[in-house]
Amino acid sequence: MSILGFTSSFGAIFLTGLSTEDDVRHERGHNWQLMMMGIGTYAFTVGIPSPLMLGGWNDNKNYYGAPWETIADILGGVKERNHSKNEIINAWLYYGLGHFIIHSIFFWF
């Protein structure tokens, strides 16, 4: 059972007894995000908004439609969730802008 009561990851993957193969794939996708983005960028663009369920996606009962969740599904190879073309485009834009904005902030320190 996961410490948090739901699947999660931040380098390590925490699962519940009810976790599915797609849950593992999704969390592995988050680990790919972490490796691709680096810990600083990942922490600000995925690590904070994901558990806090920021944005209107959670209000619309579309948690996995959030850009940081969609990209985890794509990178992890989730099979059971179908994302719209718009969600996929937004996910890649968010990923790219996250790199630019966060790296710009660190550049000035």
Side-chain angles (χ1 to χ4, degrees):
M1 179 102 183
S2 168
I3 299 167
L4 303 173
F6 51 87
T7 62
S8 59
S9 63
F10 199 99
I13 296 175
F14 304 96
L15 302 171
T16 68
L18 301 175
S19 298
T20 66
E21 287 181 30
D22 272 341
D23 291 332
V24 175
R25 287 184 185 105
H26 176 82
E27 297 307 330
R28 181 63 184 142
H30 278 309
N31 283 342
W32 278 110
Q33 282 176 301
L34 174 61
M35 289 185 283
M36 292 165 56
M37 300 172 106
I39 196 163
T41 303
Y42 179 85
F44 284 105
T45 61
V46 180
I48 292 171
S50 182
L52 296 177
M53 299 180 188
L54 297 178
W57 299 276
N58 194 48
D59 297 340
N60 297 333
K61 305 293 184 225
N62 187 19
Y63 173 77
Y64 293 102
W68 49 88
E69 300 300 337
T70 299
I71 201 81
D73 279 356
I74 293 166
L75 295 174
V78 171
K79 300 187 184 318
E80 295 298 321
R81 273 189 289 278
N82 294 317
H83 292 282
S84 70
K85 188 175 184 177
N86 194 36
E87 287 175 339
I88 293 168
I89 291 169
N90 286 340
W92 284 110
L93 287 173
Y94 183 84
Y95 172 78
L97 288 174
H99 274 288
F100 175 74
I101 293 169
I102 299 300
H103 288 227
S104 298
I105 292 169
F106 289 128
F107 176 75
W108 295 107
F109 283 116

